[in-house]
Amino acid sequence: MGRLFWKFFLSILLAQLAATVAIGGALWLKNRAAQQERRPAIDTSPPAAMAIESAAATLEFGGPQALGRLLENMDRHRVFAVDDLGKELLGRIVNPVQVAAARAVLDNGDTRVVRRITLPNGRRYLLFLPAQDRLTPLYSGDARPLLAGAGMPMPEVGPRAPGLRPGFPQGVARPYPGTPGPMPGPDGPRGRFQPLTPFIPLAAALVASLLFAALLAWYFSRPIRALRQAFEAASQGDLAPRFAGAGRRGDELADLGRDFDRMTARLRNLMDGQRRLLHDVSHELRSPLARLQAAIGLAHQNPARMAASFGRIERESVRMDKLVDELLTLSRLEAGALSGTREEIDVAELLHGIVGDAQFEATAQGRTVAARGMADVVLLGQPDLLARAIENVVRNAIKHSPAGETIVVEGTVEGGTLRIRVLDRGPGVAPQDLRTIFEPFFRSSGTEKDVEGHGLGLAIARQVVQQHGGTIGAANRDGGGLCVEIALPLD
């Protein structure tokens, strides 16, 4: 799996994790709220029963005023005394849910934590303690025990200012019936904390998923847009490299950009080669055509020299035919059209025949071709094409060697590779041209002007050798001359 896969995978995984955390948090808050709702609205603990017992006895034997004094000294006024009209003895706001829960407990016969006291005047009070988690204290500075003031001495929290009731911090007034002051809500002065609705975490999960999706889309759409623009530019002929700095991404899209640059570079080379080939072909054909026209003109002007003009026309026609044949051969080799059935080739016999034919041609020019170390091996390939490639190299050496020199054709086997070397003592090739001499129509700067040829022989040889899975190269020899080496695999 490639790097692009892991980027997709990790981005989606992060989005899923964010959504899972948000949804899990929403469910947790919802369950927490449900658990709080299921808790009893009134306090049913043993300390609550003791406080209710003390408050009931005080109300029954001392009356509302005595109960009021007791509740004033109780911790945070937790015991509530509610009459039939729903009014609390000390004027505190009462939560109807807590009153209903207290009445339900009393209807079930549980008088430990809920009491209904009827006074001699017929007024009835319902005594109960709200659950501590449902009660928000008016202030948090008083931390006295639950049964404070119920017959036990209570230490003062701080100095009491004149006019303040016991148990209240300085500057905070408790509301009394008919007395203005801060009134708590049903669950305290600010109300009980409500959990977040599940829609908020779900919305956060959706936003996080959209954010990851947007980042992922931007990350992948940007190089794709660049590739699209590059293809559009390439379709209009602009083949300049565009992704040279894409390596820092380090993923398959960057590799695709670099491949695109290599493709456009190859296309530029092919187009340049095509234009150069067209120019060179036009140049090569121009000279024989000009000579043909000159010969025809001389024949018309001087009929006595008709035979000489026909001879010139024939030579130029043969030269043009040979050029066209070489161009067709090179074109077919580059297109792979000549890759026919291969057969076994006796290399020693092949080289012996090539040397014999080259010797016959070289003798007429005052040169010699010699064989050295003919390799007695069998090679799988196309004998006609391979013979033509080696002949082109040998004839090129003959053309560029001075008179009286010897061209050596050497065949050796080294580690499963057949190496055929053609050595001459010609002018050699400039170092910067050693790789270029195998291009079509190339002529080295050291080539003499009277040397015949079109510069296609070595180009054809390179194509043939490459189709046989081999390589061809050239190097200057010590003491002058050139060595062209053909390396062919024997496997």
Side-chain angles (χ1 to χ4, degrees):
M1 297 182 184
R3 292 155 292 180
L4 197 58
F5 165 81
W6 289 112
K7 290 183 179 180
F8 269 112
F9 177 78
L10 291 177
S11 298
I12 296 175
L13 178 62
L14 289 176
Q16 293 297 325
L17 287 177
T20 302
V21 170
I23 295 174
L27 294 177
W28 179 80
L29 291 174
K30 184 177 180 181
N31 292 335
R32 185 168 176 265
Q35 290 176 0
Q36 290 181 352
E37 292 295 334
R38 288 195 295 268
R39 293 177 182 174
I42 61 174
D43 194 347
T44 59
S45 62
M50 295 174 63
I52 292 295
E53 183 70 26
S54 175
T58 302
L59 178 62
E60 187 175 359
F61 296 105
Q65 293 181 353
L67 179 60
R69 288 192 296 270
L70 174 66
L71 296 182
E72 288 174 4
N73 290 321
M74 268 192 173
D75 178 32
R76 305 179 183 177
H77 296 252
R78 294 189 65 218
V79 177
F80 276 47
V82 182
D83 61 10
D84 292 339
L85 298 179
K87 295 182 179 180
E88 207 274 328
L89 181 63
L90 299 183
R92 292 171 292 181
I93 296 177
V94 183
N95 192 338
V97 175
Q98 297 171 349
V99 176
R103 289 173 178 171
V105 171
L106 189 63
D107 292 341
N108 290 333
D110 189 355
T111 59
R112 294 180 304 103
V113 294
V114 180
R115 293 289 185 88
R116 180 178 282 121
I117 304 299
T118 304
L119 300 179
N121 60 4
R123 192 172 183 180
R124 297 189 304 175
Y125 285 93
L126 184 67
L127 305 178
F128 64 92
L129 271 78
Q132 187 163 357
D133 63 332
R134 296 176 177 268
L135 183 66
T136 302
L138 184 63
Y139 64 95
S140 58
D142 192 1
R144 293 176 293 169
L146 175 64
L147 298 179
M152 294 179 287
M154 288 297 302
E156 291 293 338
V157 176
R160 185 189 307 171
L164 292 181
R165 300 281 196 267
F168 290 83
Q170 185 174 355
V172 178
R174 291 291 181 97
Y176 284 92
T179 304
M183 302 298 291
D187 293 308
R190 295 185 181 179
R192 181 170 53 85
F193 170 75
Q194 297 292 334
L196 292 175
T197 174
F199 294 104
I200 295 178
L202 291 177
L206 179 61
V207 170
S209 299
L210 291 176
L211 179 61
F212 278 110
L215 290 175
L216 192 65
W218 174 83
Y219 183 83
F220 291 114
S221 62
R222 184 180 178 185
I224 291 175
R225 286 196 303 268
L227 279 172
R228 184 173 178 270
Q229 294 173 358
F231 278 109
E232 181 67 22
S235 66
Q236 297 178 3
D238 183 5
L239 300 178
R242 298 175 178 272
F243 301 96
R248 58 180 178 269
R249 287 177 57 94
D251 54 25
E252 285 80 356
L253 290 175
D255 296 339
L256 182 59
R258 289 190 293 269
D259 292 340
F260 178 84
D261 281 346
R262 285 193 292 268
M263 179 191 70
T264 54
R266 178 61 177 165
L267 288 175
R268 285 198 308 272
N269 292 335
L270 290 176
M271 293 176 65
D272 292 342
Q274 184 181 25
R275 285 193 291 266
R276 186 171 60 252
L277 180 62
L278 183 60
H279 174 270
D280 293 338
V281 169
S282 302
H283 177 75
E284 292 293 332
L285 287 176
R286 183 180 302 167
S287 297
L289 284 174
R291 289 191 289 267
L292 278 174
Q293 292 175 354
I296 294 172
L298 289 175
H300 284 298
Q301 294 176 6
N302 190 1
R305 302 188 59 183
M306 186 73 69
S309 299
F310 282 162
R312 169 62 67 177
I313 293 173
E314 183 180 5
R315 287 194 299 272
E316 298 301 332
S317 299
V318 171
R319 182 174 297 179
M320 292 178 60
D321 181 70
K322 184 178 179 181
L323 173 60
V324 172
D325 179 67
E326 289 180 346
L327 284 172
L328 289 175
T329 302
L330 180 62
S331 175
R332 290 170 183 173
L333 285 171
E334 290 179 346
L338 298 181
S339 56
T341 304
R342 299 192 176 189
E343 57 185 72
E344 292 183 351
I345 304 173
D346 188 336
V347 176
E349 182 179 351
L350 178 68
L351 294 179
H352 185 270
I354 293 173
V355 170
D357 294 340
Q359 175 61 33
F360 178 78
E361 180 179 347
T363 302
Q365 302 178 18
R367 300 168 180 89
T368 304
V369 179
R372 182 190 303 170
M374 294 294 185
D376 190 9
V377 292
V378 176
L379 176 69
L380 189 63
Q382 295 179 271
D384 294 338
L385 287 179
L386 193 58
R388 182 168 184 176
I390 299 173
E391 284 178 357
N392 288 346
V393 176
V394 175
R395 286 176 179 172
N396 186 75
I398 294 173
K399 286 188 295 184
H400 293 88
S401 294
E405 291 292 339
T406 300
I407 295 91
V408 177
V409 179
E410 179 183 272
T412 59
V413 177
E414 300 177 2
T417 301
L418 171 64
R419 299 187 181 276
I420 302 174
R421 299 182 180 90
V422 180
L423 303 96
D424 64 56
R425 286 298 179 181
V429 178
Q432 66 272 16
D433 295 337
L434 288 174
R435 296 178 59 88
T436 319
I437 60 175
F438 299 99
E439 297 293 333
F441 297 105
F442 176 80
R443 287 180 180 272
S444 176
S445 57
T447 303
E448 297 180 3
K449 296 182 179 180
D450 59 348
V451 175
E452 295 185 359
H454 306 100
L456 294 175
L458 293 181
I460 293 175
R462 182 179 64 176
Q463 291 294 330
V464 172
V465 170
Q466 288 179 352
Q467 287 197 11
H468 282 78
T471 59
I472 185 171
N476 288 316
R477 299 178 63 189
D478 294 337
L482 189 69
C483 172
V484 178
E485 180 178 299
I486 299 174
L488 298 170
L490 295 175
D491 297 335

